């Protein structure tokens, strides 16, 4: 019993040692990739936003700090690919893997803990780091728009389009001007539709009004003229139309899927669908975030499987290059499936989950072949 306990403790120490080596390599890979991304973003912001307005280097650094985290997290699968590959290649070159295998330690005993660590970090990424990065990306988009656009007067002529409704009725509002401070629209035209089977819209009524103000639970139209299909026009001094919008969100645009965190996506999807728009991009983003831990773990197993070949058998450099090429190929497949999902060629669920599942299956297949022949 004492010998078995000692053996288990020894294996635990080996696993911890491998994890420490992987963590160091992941830190280096993250530092290199993050530095390259921040350098590229600094140059891009300088040439883009900096060409419209005069920005100091400190202000550009601030904008870069808002934008870069979202891009870094998007490329995190490569951090696990390169970091894990570097860690296991280093262990192989120092013949430490040979000693572990000679001691009877299966490759699964130190590969799976590394994959489990990647899985845990993936959960941490989508629940904690991802929302922070999404908030920074949204802040950058708003700040870039504010800096790149000329100052807009409150009542400057500019068409405003608002759409809202539910599963029974849809309403499209067009206004020539807006005053967001008082939630009031000028020169308003309202198109009202009913929603039939299969989501088909049927035109019901058009209402033209001098102004529209958003009050609690309704749009209040003044000096309005409404005309339903096949009927004469009717004038109203004041007309209330039910609304589900709040004052602070009536004129706000829907945030980009990339600027929406995991926790906010279900609410955003519901709001987009209630407004009558397609929520495909947001559903795809939700499933991509949920599949992130699996992608991190699959990349770690893939890199480890390619680097387990013994040095005496040669071809380690060729295998490492093949791992990098295969990792880029799976990333390209992931982007391709995302494009198909956005275009609604395939369901968002399939577009988000199929690439990491394929990556994981390929990694396990290669690991089985390397370990068990």
């Amino acid at each position: 019993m004492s010998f078995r306990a000692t053996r288990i403790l020894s294996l635990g120490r080996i696993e911890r040692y491998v994890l420490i080596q992987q963590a160091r390599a992941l830190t280096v890979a993250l530092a290199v990739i993050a530095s390259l991304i921040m350098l590229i973003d600094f140059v891009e912001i300088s040439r883009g936003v900096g060409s419209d307005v005069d920005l100091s280097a400190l202000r550009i650094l601030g904008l870069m700090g808002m934008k870069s985290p979202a891009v870094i997290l998007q490329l995190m699968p490569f951090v696990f690919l390169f970091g894990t590959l570097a860690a296991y290649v280093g262990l192989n070159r120092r013949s430490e893997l040979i000693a572990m295998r000679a001691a009877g330690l299966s490759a699964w005993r130190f590969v799976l803990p590394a994959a489990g660590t990647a899985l845990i970090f993936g959960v941490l990424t989508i629940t904690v780091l991802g929302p922070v990065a999404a908030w920074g990306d949204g802040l950058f988009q708003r700040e870039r728009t504010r800096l790149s656009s000329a100052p807009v007067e409150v009542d400057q002529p500019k068409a405003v389009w608002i759409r809202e409704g539910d599963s029974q009725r849809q309403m499209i509002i067009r206004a020539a001007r807006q005053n967001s401070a008082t939630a009031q629209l000028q020169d308003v035209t309202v198109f009202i539709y009913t929603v039939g089977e299969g989501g088909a819209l049927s035109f019901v009524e058009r209402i033209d009004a001098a102004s529209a103000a958003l009050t609690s639970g309704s749009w209040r139209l003044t000096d309005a003229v409404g005309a339903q299909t096949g009927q004469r026009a009717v004038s109203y001094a004041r007309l209330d139309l039910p609304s589900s919008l709040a004052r602070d969100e009536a004129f706000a645009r829907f945030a980009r899927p990339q600027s929406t965190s995991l926790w906010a996506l279900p609410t955003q999807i519901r709001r987009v669908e209630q407004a009558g728009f397609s929520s495909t991009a947001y559903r795809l983003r939700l499933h991509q975030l949920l599949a992130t831990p699996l992608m991190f773990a699959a990349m770690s197993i893939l890199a480890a499987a390619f680097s387990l070949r013994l040095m005496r058998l040669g071809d380690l450099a060729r295998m490492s290059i093949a791992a990098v090429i295969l990792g880029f190929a799976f990333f390209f497949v992931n982007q391709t499936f995302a494009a198909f999902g956005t275009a609604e060629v395939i369901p968002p669920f399939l577009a988000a989950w199929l690439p990491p599942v394929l990556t994981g299956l390929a990694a396990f297949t290669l690991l089985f072949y390397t370990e068990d022949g």
Side-chain angles (χ1 to χ4, degrees):
M1 179 66 68
S2 176
F3 174 77
R4 291 182 61 187
T6 304
R7 184 173 178 81
I8 292 174
L9 180 62
S10 175
L11 289 177
R13 289 175 179 174
I14 292 176
E15 293 163 1
R16 288 196 297 271
Y17 174 76
V18 173
L19 288 178
I20 290 174
Q21 298 301 314
Q22 184 192 23
R24 291 177 178 175
L26 289 175
T27 302
V28 174
L30 177 60
V32 172
I33 291 179
S35 299
L36 291 175
I37 291 174
M38 288 188 291
L39 178 61
I40 294 173
D41 285 343
F42 185 89
V43 175
E44 180 183 350
I45 294 172
S46 301
R47 292 181 176 180
V49 182
S51 61
D52 297 329
V53 293
D54 187 16
L55 296 177
S56 64
L58 187 61
R59 188 66 182 278
I60 295 176
L61 286 174
L63 293 174
M64 180 194 69
M66 301 175 192
K67 180 178 184 296
S68 297
V71 183
I72 294 173
L73 291 184
Q74 186 178 0
L75 297 180
M76 280 299 296
F78 288 108
V79 173
F80 282 93
L81 176 66
F82 297 146
T84 304
L85 187 64
Y88 282 92
V89 167
L91 291 172
N92 207 337
R93 289 186 180 278
R94 295 192 297 270
S95 299
E96 292 175 326
L97 286 181
I98 299 176
M100 296 177 191
R101 305 290 287 278
L105 183 64
S106 171
W108 296 99
R109 296 297 299 272
F110 49 83
V111 171
L112 291 183
T117 302
L119 195 70
I120 294 173
F121 188 84
V123 174
L124 179 65
T125 297
I126 65 175
T127 57
V128 180
L129 302 179
V132 175
W135 173 80
D137 182 74
L139 187 61
F140 168 77
Q141 298 298 332
R142 292 191 296 271
E143 191 69 12
R144 182 178 65 176
T145 301
R146 187 184 67 83
L147 293 173
S148 301
S149 303
V152 178
E153 297 296 333
V154 172
D155 289 320
Q156 178 181 354
K158 184 178 181 181
V160 177
W161 291 87
I162 299 175
R163 181 173 179 174
E164 63 166 313
D166 50 32
S167 58
Q168 285 78 37
R169 192 186 73 158
Q170 292 290 320
M171 187 167 60
I172 300 177
I173 304 173
R174 182 195 182 279
R177 297 181 302 277
Q178 77 173 43
N179 188 330
S180 55
T182 60
Q184 190 175 60
L185 304 175
Q186 305 292 333
D187 296 335
V188 180
T189 302
V190 181
F191 302 93
I192 301 176
Y193 298 84
T194 57
V195 182
E197 295 183 0
L201 298 179
S202 299
F203 177 76
V204 174
E205 185 179 7
R206 169 176 172 165
I207 302 175
D208 296 289
S211 64
L214 182 60
T215 60
S216 178
S218 66
W219 286 99
R220 175 157 294 179
L221 309 181
T222 57
D223 297 333
V225 177
Q228 296 185 4
T229 305
Q231 298 184 14
R232 299 181 60 181
V234 180
S235 300
Y236 306 92
R238 180 178 296 175
L239 177 64
D240 290 338
L241 297 177
S243 173
S244 59
L245 295 176
R247 288 174 62 96
D248 58 349
E249 67 180 12
F251 307 111
R253 296 180 180 177
F254 291 119
R256 302 189 315 150
Q258 294 78 7
S259 301
T260 309
S261 68
L262 174 69
W263 308 113
L265 275 171
T267 302
Q268 187 78 321
I269 291 172
R270 185 170 60 254
R271 286 184 56 208
V272 170
E273 290 179 344
Q274 287 177 351
F277 294 101
S278 173
S279 62
T280 301
Y282 296 93
R283 291 187 178 276
L284 175 63
R285 177 63 176 171
L286 176 61
H287 286 295
Q288 284 179 329
L289 289 176
L290 295 177
T292 296
L294 179 60
M295 178 61 81
F296 287 1
M299 283 295 190
S300 296
I301 298 175
L302 183 67
F306 269 100
S307 57
L308 288 178
R309 188 180 180 87
L310 299 179
M311 286 292 296
R312 60 183 176 83
L313 298 180
D315 294 335
L316 182 60
R318 183 173 60 84
M319 294 288 286
S320 300
I321 295 175
V324 174
I325 295 175
L326 190 60
F328 275 101
F330 278 119
F331 185 80
F332 175 77
V333 169
N334 187 33
Q335 298 300 108
T336 303
F337 272 84
F340 287 158
T342 303
E344 300 184 356
V345 176
I346 57 178
F349 176 85
L350 189 63
W353 285 96
L354 192 56
V357 169
L358 291 177
T359 306
L361 290 177
F364 274 112
T365 301
L366 182 62
L367 191 58
F368 273 117
Y369 176 79
T370 303
E371 177 65 12
D372 303 323

